[in-house]
Amino acid sequence: MKSMASTSNVSELMFTGLFQHPEVQRVCFVVFLPMYLTTVVGNGLIVVTVSVSKSLQSPMYFFLSHLSLVEISYSSTVVPKFITDLLTKIKTISLEGCVAQIFFFHFFGVTEILLLVVMAYDRYVAICKPLHYMNIMSRQLCHVLVAGSWLGGFIHSIIQILITIQLPFCGPSVIDHYFCDLHPLFKLACTDTFVEGIIVLANSGLIALCSFLILVTSYIIILVNLRNHSAEGRRKALSTCASHITVVILFFGPAIFLYMRSSSTFTEDKLVAVFYTVITPMLNPIIYTLRNAEMKIAMGRLWGKNENSEME
């Protein structure tokens, strides 16, 4: 198998960016930088709170802390480079850097998808089999499910990269996007990428679609089972599930829109990509903390403890 370096004349790629106008780019910088910082701080706060708080040791919060860790990693793969590029006229990345960005973007993206499926399974067991919950969702199984999510993301991403590194790139070297992804990069290959496009569609699109269908089915079963619960039990379960369902819709809607159709890069595609690379990772900690009383109480205790220690 020929390496990318030996089959390519291109060593550096250039992004067209999200918008061309310098003033608009500066406005985007002012808007997106606080969003990214909120993503890192918000998700980081969830990770710290869950790891420190003894009241948040259930499997649900164990999965949530890993989801928050993935959100930070996922957003950090694209957003820091994107934000700094908003202040530069020429936005470049090396071919190797582009491939690395694709690898980590898909690695963390699919890991998040699988974690959302795991969290749906956890809620299904908690609501539909409450008496057996602690036996089924043992600490060992929780670790296996999380490790499986990370491994699934890694295997998916390796497949994408093995497809990409075999392609020759002879020019042009301009990517019509603000970060590296497979479809925009395939357009630069000096060979027909129809087969590779189909494989990517099957690999990315079907994972997203099948996972989404599993999630929808599981939440329908959960909602049907809630009829047998008390009013208080229904209220608490619905509050938790509403947070999960909101995150699922925010993440899967744009992903399915982009990957379950033919290759094209329009301005609206870039705006949809902004939604799931910048906005959704920022919203997740807000959704989970505002709708979760236990998380709010634990965060209050954590910060209250810190304030008390500072006063002493």
Side-chain angles (χ1 to χ4, degrees), residues 3 26 49 54 78 150 209 265:
S3 68
R26 280 193 281 273
T49 304
K54 290 178 181 177
V78 170
W150 286 95
L209 183 62
T265 309

Side-chain angles (χ1 to χ4, degrees), residues 34-283:
M35 284 186 172
Y36 174 65
L37 295 175
T38 303
T39 299
V40 174
V41 172
N43 284 291
L45 189 58
I46 289 177
V47 174
V48 171
T49 304
V50 171
S51 62
V52 170
S53 303
K54 290 178 181 177
S55 61
L56 303 179
Q57 296 305 305
S58 68
M60 180 176 79
Y61 294 109
F62 175 70
F63 298 137
L64 178 58
S65 67
H66 276 272
L67 183 72
S68 294
L69 186 64
V70 170
E71 287 282 26
I72 294 170
S73 306
Y74 175 74
S75 187
S76 297
T77 303
V78 170
V79 181
K81 167 74 174 153
F82 166 50
I83 291 173
T84 53
D85 278 349
L86 288 169
L87 299 178
T88 61
K89 191 172 182 180
I90 300 172
K91 314 169 202 313
T92 59
I93 189 170
S94 67
L95 188 56
E96 291 78 10
C98 184
V99 172
Q101 192 176 59
I102 290 171
F103 173 81
F104 287 109
F105 180 69
H106 282 265
F107 173 37
F108 294 123
V110 171
T111 301
E112 178 167 352
I113 286 173
L114 298 176
L115 277 173
L116 288 170
V117 172
V118 166
M119 291 173 79
Y121 175 69
D122 172 67
R123 289 301 84 205
Y124 163 76
V125 176
I127 293 166
C128 301
K129 301 178 186 292
L131 299 177
H132 305 285
Y133 178 71
M134 293 313 295
N135 289 331
I136 295 172
M137 298 305 294
S138 63
R139 183 174 289 272
Q140 184 181 5
L141 179 63
C142 290
H143 282 96
V144 167
L145 290 172
V146 166
S149 299
W150 286 95
L151 181 61
F154 180 77
I155 292 170
H156 158 82
S157 204
I158 283 291
I159 292 170
Q160 307 288 61
I161 294 307
L162 288 176
I163 295 166
T164 307
I165 61 173
Q166 296 181 68
L167 296 173
F169 295 95
C170 322
S173 59
V174 178
I175 293 185
D176 187 16
H177 216 309
Y178 64 88
F179 70 97
C180 283
D181 204 0
L182 290 160
H183 286 317
L185 185 61
F186 281 2
K187 289 183 175 180
L188 307 187
C190 45
T191 184
D192 182 35
T193 58
F194 176 77
V195 174
E196 287 81 2
I198 294 296
I199 296 169
V200 166
L201 181 69
N203 197 8
S204 295
L206 290 180
I207 286 175
L209 183 62
C210 292
S211 299
F212 184 69
L213 292 175
I214 291 168
L215 286 163
V216 169
T217 304
S218 66
Y219 283 117
I220 289 171
I221 294 168
I222 288 168
L223 292 172
V224 168
N225 271 270
L226 281 176
R227 291 182 303 176
N228 303 323
H229 287 61
S230 65
E232 177 60 23
R234 276 201 300 270
R235 187 196 63 76
K236 191 174 179 182
L238 279 171
S239 178
T240 305
C241 288
S243 300
H244 290 197
I245 292 167
T246 304
V247 169
V248 165
I249 291 169
L250 287 173
F251 185 84
F252 279 89
I256 291 171
F257 172 79
L258 285 181
Y259 288 104
M260 287 301 294
R261 63 200 185 91
S262 61
S263 171
S264 60
T265 309
F266 305 109
T267 302
E268 58 265 30
D269 285 20
K270 296 180 191 179
L271 294 174
V272 169
V274 166
F275 195 82
Y276 67 76
T277 56
V278 182
I279 299 171
T280 303
M282 178 194 68
L283 291 177

Side-chain angles (χ1 to χ4, degrees), residues 293-306:
E294 285 180 319
M295 180 65 75
K296 282 191 281 189
I297 291 166
M299 283 185 173
R301 283 178 186 157
L302 178 67
W303 291 111
K305 194 181 294 180
N306 289 343

